[in-house]
């Protein structure tokens, strides 16, 4: 598939934009499948008005379509750490995940499908190489179209040494969970559609769902991250069958309503979470004090602020030339108790919180209150994010120097639990037509510590030269249509270029971002 190519160069970044025309009227969702090894094929799956299409190869030289007769609105893959075979205690389900592409998809007709097909590109003449398990439409399932789905693998409740595929789906205020036994290394074909294993209700409609990807803790793998329209993210523990932690995002300075979460996912190997808000602000919750001593979420507690974050679309060159805010505005921003504060006491914002005050409050000024809800919803740009583990690099090497100064290192030595074995991670966030790439969480967090020391520990913004570990790409244009989703197609620790893929209207877009040496 030959793309349309456009070379772009901005002040602090250079990138190539690619656009692939597709034979469909609209793309509803698009995700890149995690690569198991460097030699594994690049895979992109997108949903359209008739079903699914799977694209193989860096330039999508091969494709395979699955006709479902209905628009596919959302997709989900198992967490990437589960996609490799567990040699210590192999199960049929783990073997299935290591040899097949496994996904869950929701359709407009309320049906939810679990689909498997070989990881290798099928031959051009191959037909029906996939298997489908449909959860069906009935009184026990959703009565409205599901808005999100998540899939993972957990130990069976009835059989030893076996695993179940576990699905979570949400529609309006309802959350359903299914358990599907996998006795052999193939998708089961029950005579009747499985019924939900658990039914829950949320305070407000849920928007996103993600199972914890932690590869080293079975307890954490039972955690489900859910975001609600009310501006809250919650964690549900499937093992304990209860809500364990709630995380709240900041409120708009005018109107006092909480910002809506556009996208969220687990990060720090399942020990933290990252969220993107409706005004382009993003932030990280350090749920188990892995990155910072004084920032943690106790069991059953409510977490009110990000440990660190920024604004998508702002880079250090633009911040250096921005006008300095007034003293009154600066005091409001630095005060962690102010209504618009995004950070908890003692934490800090990257990418200059102060200088982005005006751009971050424009939306709140124009669209707040119930009377403007419809107008606000139409005006909010699309937003999405992706977290990509870098398996070749550890996030916490050598007793975790990331914890900062001597006091933090002393705390690390007396910590009752050892520093977790977590891979480094790359982030990409999309807001409107802008992209923010953080190539390495390890390098970014190390830069934040350096900035904080130079500021004397204050929680104010960084300067233009203090942390250059993020790359901003603005005005991404792949031929029309709003970006609906973003993901990594190719990202390794030592690569000179990172390829990001996204769904845009009737096209698949790609951006090759050159990484500074």
């Amino acid at each position: 598939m030959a793309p349309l190519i456009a070379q772009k160069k901005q002040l602090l970044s250079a990138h190539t934009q690619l656009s692939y025309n597709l034979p469909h009227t609209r793309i509803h969702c698009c995700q890149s499948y995690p690569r198991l090894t460097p030699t594994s094929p690049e895979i992109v799956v997108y949903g359209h008005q008739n079903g699914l299409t799977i694209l193989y190869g860096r330039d999508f030289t091969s494709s395979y379509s699955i006709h479902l007769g209905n628009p596919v609105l959302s997709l989900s893959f198992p967490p990437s750490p589960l996609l490799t075979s567990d040699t210590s205690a192999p199960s049929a389900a783990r073997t299935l995940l290591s040899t097949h592409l496994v996904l869950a998809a929701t359709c407009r007709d309320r049906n939810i499908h679990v689909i498997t097909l070989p990881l290798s590109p099928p031959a051009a003449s191959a037909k029906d190489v996939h298997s489908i398990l449909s959860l069906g439409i009935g009184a026990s399932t959703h009565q409205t179209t599901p808005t999100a789905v998540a899939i993972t693998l957990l130990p069976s409740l009835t059989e030893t040494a076996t695993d179940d595929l576990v699905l979570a789906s949400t529609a309006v205020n309802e959350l359903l969970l299914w358990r599907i036994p996998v006795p052999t290394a193939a998708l089961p074909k029950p005579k009747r559609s499985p019924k939900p294993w658990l039914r829950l209700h949320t305070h407000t409609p849920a928007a996103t769902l993600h199972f914890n990807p932690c590869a080293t803790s079975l307890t954490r793998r039972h955690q489900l991250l859910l975001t609600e329209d009310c501006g809250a993210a919650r964690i549900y523990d499937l093992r304990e069958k209860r809500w364990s932690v709630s995380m709240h995002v900041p409120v708009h300075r005018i109107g006092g309503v909480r910002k809506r979460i556009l996208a969220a996912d687990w990060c720090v190997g399942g020990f933290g979470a990252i969220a993107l808000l409706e005004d382009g602000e993003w932030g990280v919750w350090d749920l188990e004090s892995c990155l910072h001593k004084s920032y943690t979420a106790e069991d059953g507690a409510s977490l009110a602020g990000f440990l660190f974050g920024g604004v998508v679309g702002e880079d250090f060159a633009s911040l250096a030339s921005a006008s300095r805010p007034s003293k009154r505005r600066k005091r409001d921003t630095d005060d962690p108790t102010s209504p618009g504060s995004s950070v908890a006491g003692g934490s800090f914002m990257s990418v200059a919180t102060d200088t982005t005050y005006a751009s971050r409050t424009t939306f709140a000024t124009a669209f707040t209150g119930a009377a403007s809800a419809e107008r606000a919803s139409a005006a909010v740009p699309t937003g999405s994010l992706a977290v990509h583990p870098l398996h070749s690099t550890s996030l916490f090497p050598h007793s975790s120097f990331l914890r900062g100064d001597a006091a933090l290192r002393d705390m690390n030595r007396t910590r009752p639990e050892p520093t977790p074995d977590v891979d480094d991670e790359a982030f990409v966030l999309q807001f409107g037509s802008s992209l923010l790439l953080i190539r390495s969480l390890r390098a970014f967090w190390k830069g934040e510590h350096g900035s904080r020391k130079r500021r004397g520990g204050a929680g104010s913004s960084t300067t233009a030269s203090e942390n250059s570990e993020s790359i901003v790409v603005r005005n991404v244009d792949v031929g029309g249509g709003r970006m609906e989703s973003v993901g990594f197609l190719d990202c390794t620790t030592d690569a000179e270029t990172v390829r990001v893929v996204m769904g845009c209207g009737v096209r698949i877009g790609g951006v090759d971002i050159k990484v500074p040496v």
Side-chain angles (χ1 to χ4, degrees):
M1 187 182 299
L4 301 174
I5 301 176
Q7 302 285 344
K8 302 288 183 179
K9 189 171 184 179
Q10 298 175 359
L11 186 58
L12 292 180
S13 65
H15 63 279
T16 302
Q17 294 182 180
L18 305 98
S19 177
Y20 298 85
N21 291 320
L22 301 173
H24 303 287
T25 57
R26 174 152 179 82
I27 298 173
H28 296 290
C29 52
C30 174
Q31 288 191 36
S32 56
Y33 197 76
R35 297 181 67 189
L36 305 185
T37 66
T39 58
S40 299
E42 294 90 344
I43 300 176
V44 171
V45 182
Y46 69 91
H48 48 80
Q49 72 273 19
N50 293 321
L52 291 167
T53 296
I54 298 91
L55 304 175
Y56 294 87
R58 185 175 177 85
D59 293 315
F60 309 143
T61 54
S62 177
S63 65
Y64 182 81
S65 294
I66 300 175
H67 183 80
L68 297 176
N70 232 276
V72 173
L73 304 182
S74 63
L75 294 169
S76 178
F77 306 134
S80 59
L82 302 182
L83 299 182
T84 55
S85 181
D86 186 356
T87 56
S88 62
S91 67
R94 290 296 291 266
T95 303
L96 174 65
L97 264 63
S98 65
T99 58
H100 287 72
L101 188 156
V102 180
L103 63 90
T106 67
C107 291
R108 183 168 292 167
D109 65 352
R110 299 185 285 119
N111 212 335
I112 301 173
H113 305 282
V114 182
I115 301 173
T116 65
L117 67 158
L119 281 171
S120 302
S125 59
K127 294 183 179 180
D128 299 333
V129 299
H130 62 276
S131 298
I132 300 179
L133 171 61
S134 299
L135 300 186
I137 305 171
S140 62
T141 61
H142 292 297
Q143 301 306 299
T144 57
T145 301
T147 55
V149 65
I151 183 171
T152 191
L153 205 65
L154 292 175
S156 172
L157 297 177
T158 57
E159 301 289 337
T160 58
T162 62
D163 291 317
D164 293 345
L165 283 174
V166 178
L167 273 78
S169 62
T170 182
V172 193
N173 294 61
E174 186 179 54
L175 173 65
L176 298 182
L177 292 108
W178 281 266
R179 278 187 171 270
I180 302 172
V182 185
T184 63
L187 196 64
K189 297 181 179 181
K191 297 180 179 179
R192 297 180 180 179
S193 298
K195 292 186 177 181
W197 164 64
L198 198 60
R199 185 185 302 268
L200 302 167
H201 294 277
T202 57
H203 297 292
T204 58
T208 63
L209 295 172
H210 294 279
F211 281 106
N212 193 313
C214 185
T216 59
S217 171
L218 183 59
T219 299
R220 292 181 181 87
R221 277 172 48 196
H222 281 80
Q223 295 174 341
L224 176 68
L225 176 66
L226 175 146
T227 64
E228 296 186 35
D229 285 349
C230 63
R234 309 186 196 280
I235 296 176
Y236 185 79
D237 191 319
L238 274 68
R239 177 174 281 180
E240 301 292 335
K241 294 185 178 180
R242 64 187 180 90
W243 299 98
S244 58
V245 176
S246 295
M247 299 160 285
H248 296 283
V249 303
V251 301
H252 288 292
R253 291 181 177 271
I254 300 176
V257 295
R258 292 197 181 276
K259 301 176 185 180
R260 187 162 61 92
I261 301 175
L262 297 182
D265 204 346
W266 295 96
C267 64
V268 196
F271 292 83
I274 181 172
L276 173 65
L277 311 184
E278 63 181 344
D279 61 348
E281 182 182 354
W282 65 275
V284 169
W285 289 294
D286 186 12
L287 301 176
E288 300 189 40
S289 194
C290 288
L291 298 175
H292 199 272
K293 174 183 178 182
S294 61
Y295 189 91
T296 187
E298 300 296 336
D299 186 51
S302 178
L303 205 57
F306 296 134
L307 174 62
F308 66 91
V311 180
V312 177
E314 301 288 351
D315 61 17
F316 298 99
S318 64
L319 299 177
S321 60
S323 60
R324 194 65 182 169
S326 66
K327 293 183 179 180
R328 177 181 178 182
R329 182 178 298 169
K330 188 178 189 306
R331 286 197 303 269
D332 290 344
T333 306
D334 290 344
D335 181 9
T337 62
S338 64
S341 175
S342 306
V343 294
S347 58
F348 44 92
M349 291 292 289
S350 63
V351 200
T353 305
D354 295 347
T355 54
T356 55
Y357 172 87
S359 62
R360 291 168 59 205
T361 55
T362 299
F363 176 84
T365 304
F367 306 109
T368 50
S372 301
E374 183 176 351
R375 199 156 48 102
S377 177
V380 175
T382 59
S384 58
L385 63 86
V387 179
H388 180 78
L390 303 173
H391 300 298
S392 60
T393 308
S394 175
L395 183 59
F396 300 109
H398 309 304
S399 299
S400 185
F401 71 89
L402 300 175
R403 290 180 175 275
D405 55 19
L408 294 178
R409 287 195 295 272
D410 290 341
M411 181 277 299
N412 186 38
R413 284 194 290 268
T414 59
R415 182 179 172 87
E417 295 183 3
T419 301
D421 182 15
V422 176
D423 291 330
D424 194 6
E425 295 172 337
F427 299 157
V428 62
L429 299 98
Q430 170 263 320
F431 181 70
S433 61
S434 297
L435 296 176
L436 172 65
L437 171 67
I438 296 178
R439 172 67 179 280
S440 165
L441 173 60
R442 172 181 167 181
F444 186 86
W445 182 240
K446 184 178 179 181
E448 289 293 345
H449 273 296
S451 299
R452 190 185 190 200
K453 288 182 179 180
R454 286 188 289 272
R455 296 194 303 268
S460 58
S461 63
T462 59
T463 63
S465 61
E466 285 182 317
N467 192 335
S468 58
E469 298 299 334
S470 60
I471 302 174
V472 174
V473 178
R474 296 193 189 88
N475 303 319
V476 176
D477 181 9
V478 291
R482 304 203 312 171
M483 287 191 283
E484 301 291 345
S485 56
V486 68
F488 286 98
L489 188 62
D490 190 13
C491 180
T492 57
T493 306
D494 55 354
E496 297 181 356
T497 302
V498 173
R499 173 163 290 191
V500 174
V501 66
M502 64 211 74
C504 309
V506 296
R507 295 174 174 86
I508 294 290
V511 179
D512 285 343
I513 305 174
K514 185 175 179 59
V515 179
V517 179

